[in-house]
Amino acid sequence: MKRKKHVAKRGREEGNYSASAAGLAFKHGFYLETAWILSVIFEKKSKSLLKKLEPRHLLPGYSFEQSIKRIKYHHLSGRVPQLGLHLELNLIEEMRSWKNSRNTMLKDMVSVHVSKNRMERLASEGIALYKRWNKSLKLIKAEMKKSTIHKIQKVNKQVDEEQP
């Protein structure tokens, strides 16, 4: 008897969540799931940005709150001009506020009834926040990539000029 080929499972085993999964959950009325999917996406994207900003730090140990604080620190320090150009400080604060609202709602679920409207409002705020956050991150990463390419080209040009 032949053994069946092992097919790798795709999906959410390793936390591969997408914005389309959040949209689908929202569309079908699963507002709590939408909030959690968005939370996972926010955390992954913020850690991805931090990896580019501070490659030597140990990021897996950072919580979502710590990641937001580090991004805010880099924004305020001015060391990364791309953050100042494409990421609004109030967007970082809105991210923290949304996270705190999510946590408060989850704590309330243990002791009191949480209305469907409250969950829907949290999910819809998260979707709007995700759109703004994602747009900013794309602009930042593109700008960082451009500046890296310019630095490399500048160094190569200097090396070429020094060689006889």
Side-chain angles (χ1 to χ4, degrees):
M1 192 161 154
K2 285 186 175 180
R3 291 179 75 181
K4 291 183 180 179
K5 288 185 180 179
H6 177 70
V7 178
K9 291 183 181 179
R10 294 183 187 191
R12 300 187 180 121
E13 280 75 45
E14 295 180 13
N16 294 329
Y17 295 104
S18 66
S20 60
L24 191 62
F26 186 81
K27 178 181 174 185
H28 292 291
F30 298 110
Y31 305 121
L32 183 62
E33 288 80 0
T34 303
W36 275 112
I37 292 169
L38 289 172
S39 295
V40 170
I41 294 171
F42 285 147
E43 188 168 354
K44 280 186 168 187
K45 287 187 176 278
S46 61
K47 285 184 178 183
S48 172
L49 177 63
L50 283 174
K51 280 182 186 176
K52 292 184 185 312
L53 297 178
E54 41 187 56
R56 288 180 246 144
H57 281 7
L58 300 174
L59 296 175
Y62 279 6
S63 67
F64 185 33
E65 176 73 19
Q66 290 169 323
S67 299
I68 293 171
K69 285 180 180 179
R70 289 300 295 171
I71 291 171
K72 185 176 180 180
Y73 166 76
H74 285 292
H75 187 282
L76 293 174
S77 70
R79 294 181 191 162
V80 184
Q82 294 87 353
L83 284 178
L85 290 173
H86 301 294
L87 185 64
E88 300 171 12
L89 196 56
N90 67 345
L91 183 60
I92 298 170
E93 290 302 321
E94 287 177 40
M95 179 78 65
R96 178 180 283 144
S97 172
W98 182 83
K99 178 198 66 72
N100 291 337
S101 297
R102 180 206 66 195
N103 290 347
T104 303
M105 186 188 73
L106 289 171
K107 288 175 185 173
D108 287 348
M109 290 179 89
V110 174
S111 57
V112 295
H113 174 72
V114 176
S115 70
K116 191 171 184 175
N117 289 338
R118 183 176 172 191
M119 285 191 272
E120 183 179 5
R121 186 174 50 247
L122 180 76
S124 62
E125 287 173 1
I127 290 171
L129 189 61
Y130 170 77
K131 289 177 181 177
R132 292 176 50 212
W133 178 253
N134 197 41
K135 184 179 177 182
S136 294
L137 292 184
K138 283 182 179 180
L139 292 171
I140 291 167
K141 289 179 181 180
E143 191 76 28
M144 289 175 75
K145 192 173 186 179
K146 279 183 195 176
S147 67
T148 303
I149 291 171
H150 289 302
K151 287 178 185 176
I152 292 170
Q153 288 174 347
K154 190 175 182 180
V155 169
N156 288 341
K157 190 175 181 181
Q158 289 173 348
V159 170
D160 289 344
E161 289 175 357
E162 290 175 3
Q163 293 179 353

